Amino acid sequence: ESIMKNKNILILGSSGFIGRSLTKKLLSKDYYITSPVRNSDKVKRNILSGDIGQINIVPFSLSNIHLIESDIKEADIIVNLLGILFEKPNNSFENTHYHLPKVLTDLTVKHHKRLVHISSLGSTLNTKSSYLYSKALGEQYIESNHDNFTIIKPSIVFGEEDNFLNQFGYMTKFLPFLPLYKKGKTKFQPIYIDDLTSFMTEVIASDGDSFLNKSIDAVGPKIYSFKEILELIFEIVKKKKRFINIPDFLASIQGRLMGNLPNPPFTYDQFLSLSHDSISPNGAALIKATLGRELSSMNLVASNYLNKFIDKV
């Protein structure tokens, strides 16, 4: 038994898509996990996959992050997965992607803890998208003020429960066509959830300097344009490929209108972020080398879970 085994990992955002997958992996490797959550019902699923006492649920609130200072003090590594895709009246991009990492950075530096922070590929201060801008601000604060961090920047993450491919797969059921924004030219380099969280597990397990104070692009093996991703979905669900080109002015109106929905499928800010590619041509090499295997192909994996959208005859 290595000492490593019993490290205590504090995970912010453990009930999300990436959080559930990462938690499962860490539990199977005998780590202890502290899960600060706003709503404890959401982590019931996680608890079931661990041994009794292996996962510790603590209350959390974005407005008072200091509540978890004692938990940070007790933990060995802090993992921050908190991110939002659209703003709510009580929760802004700036709050989640900048203010939170800032407070976390200060607390983890104070208690000499390592911080693993998940951001987003394509984040930049040179953008009209508040999502990408706030992500860049958060990264910048960590890089300038921390001495023991790893930042991981995934492109689109796909998998069984993703809200990207599934959303478009679902749309093919009741729309004769799929919408193309920016002529479908925006490029992505999607990474499979399992590859991403296996990589994160390696980063967490590494005691050396291999990932120390680095910002790492987390991408899959292949670059796709937005249009190619939608074409792939049409192929998997066995539908004729039909697109409608949405000109920018219409897309921005559509984004502003849909953005008011409680769970918007598309927002004005997402429209703005489509001006930026989310790719890293050499990024897959490090992930592949760390995992010691090929990375999963979206064509293969997605056909296993998008087939639920094929019309039953």
Side-chain angles (χ1 to χ4, degrees):
E1 284 290 287
S2 68
I3 307 167
M4 263 312 292
K5 279 289 195 199
N6 301 326
K7 282 215 163 156
N8 175 1
I9 316 293
L10 183 143
I11 304 179
L12 284 162
S14 57
S15 58
F17 175 45
I18 298 176
R20 291 191 301 268
S21 169
L22 179 65
T23 300
K24 222 181 196 154
K25 285 206 162 66
L26 294 175
L27 288 172
S28 72
K29 293 190 181 302
D30 298 334
Y31 286 95
Y32 290 106
I33 289 178
T34 303
S35 255
V37 284
R38 272 177 306 211
N39 171 359
S40 58
D41 292 344
K42 278 192 163 171
V43 280
K44 292 283 196 286
R45 271 171 65 179
N46 285 347
I47 299 176
L48 295 175
S49 57
D51 289 334
I52 290 181
Q54 212 185 338
I55 200 168
N56 176 25
I57 309 282
V58 298
F60 172 71
S61 131
L62 254 181
S63 51
N64 185 0
I65 301 161
H66 288 271
L67 278 177
I68 61 168
E69 181 164 0
S70 60
D71 301 297
I72 288 175
K73 210 172 150 178
E74 294 299 305
D76 294 295
I77 296 173
I78 317 304
V79 180
N80 178 32
L81 300 169
L82 285 178
I84 52 174
L85 290 170
F86 51 86
E87 299 187 293
K88 292 182 179 151
N90 58 350
N91 196 0
S92 66
F93 287 136
E94 186 184 3
N95 225 346
T96 307
H97 301 154
Y98 173 60
H99 180 65
L100 169 80
K102 183 174 186 285
V103 177
L104 268 186
T105 296
D106 298 345
L107 286 174
T108 46
V109 167
K110 174 179 168 187
H111 296 291
H112 308 290
K113 302 295 177 183
R114 186 164 161 219
L115 176 64
V116 177
H117 173 75
I118 305 303
S119 189
S120 174
L121 194 60
S123 61
T124 168
L125 295 176
N126 187 13
T127 177
K128 292 192 174 77
S129 154
S130 341
Y131 173 82
L132 294 174
Y133 185 79
S134 61
K135 288 276 195 181
L137 276 184
E139 288 169 29
Q140 209 180 43
Y141 189 86
I142 295 170
E143 289 169 339
S144 325
N145 296 282
H146 215 300
D147 54 357
N148 189 357
F149 71 86
T150 306
I151 294 173
I152 299 172
K153 305 171 57 152
S155 181
I156 284 172
V157 184
F158 67 91
E160 207 83 37
E161 300 179 8
D162 71 48
N163 54 10
F164 182 73
L165 296 183
N166 279 310
Q167 187 182 314
F168 289 110
Y170 180 63
M171 283 163 76
T172 63
K173 283 191 82 68
F174 57 90
L175 285 179
F177 49 75
L178 287 179
L180 275 189
Y181 301 106
K182 303 269 177 207
K183 300 193 172 69
K185 289 200 166 93
T186 312
K187 291 191 174 67
F188 299 97
Q189 201 168 344
I191 183 167
Y192 181 37
I193 180 74
D194 192 62
D195 289 344
L196 175 62
T197 53
S198 298
F199 176 71
M200 290 169 63
T201 304
E202 294 295 328
V203 170
I204 288 166
S206 74
D207 262 353
D209 300 336
S210 30
F211 304 109
L212 183 67
N213 300 341
K214 286 200 169 77
S215 234
I216 297 162
D217 297 345
V219 293
K222 190 172 174 216
I223 293 174
Y224 298 80
S225 70
F226 180 50
K227 185 176 186 184
E228 286 169 335
I229 293 177
L230 297 186
E231 286 176 336
L232 172 66
I233 294 171
F234 274 126
E235 272 166 38
I236 294 171
V237 302
K238 300 182 162 46
K239 288 257 169 79
K240 194 172 171 0
K241 295 175 190 170
R242 288 204 182 102
F243 298 104
I244 184 162
N245 258 310
I246 313 245
D248 283 359
F249 77 95
L250 265 183
S252 65
I253 293 170
Q254 194 184 18
R256 285 174 205 260
L257 290 173
M258 285 184 176
N260 296 317
L261 298 168
N263 216 340
F266 184 65
T267 64
Y268 179 60
D269 201 86
Q270 281 166 352
F271 162 70
L272 294 175
S273 71
L274 287 172
S275 301
H276 303 269
D277 289 338
S278 169
I279 62 174
S280 176
N282 308 317
L286 173 68
I287 313 286
K288 203 171 117 175
T290 306
L291 297 183
R293 59 172 169 77
E294 293 296 322
L295 301 181
S296 311
S297 132
M298 188 166 76
N299 296 39
L300 290 175
V301 176
S303 55
N304 293 332
Y305 65 91
L306 289 181
N307 53 20
K308 58 177 178 267
F309 298 116
I310 298 175
D311 287 336
K312 304 285 179 280
V313 182

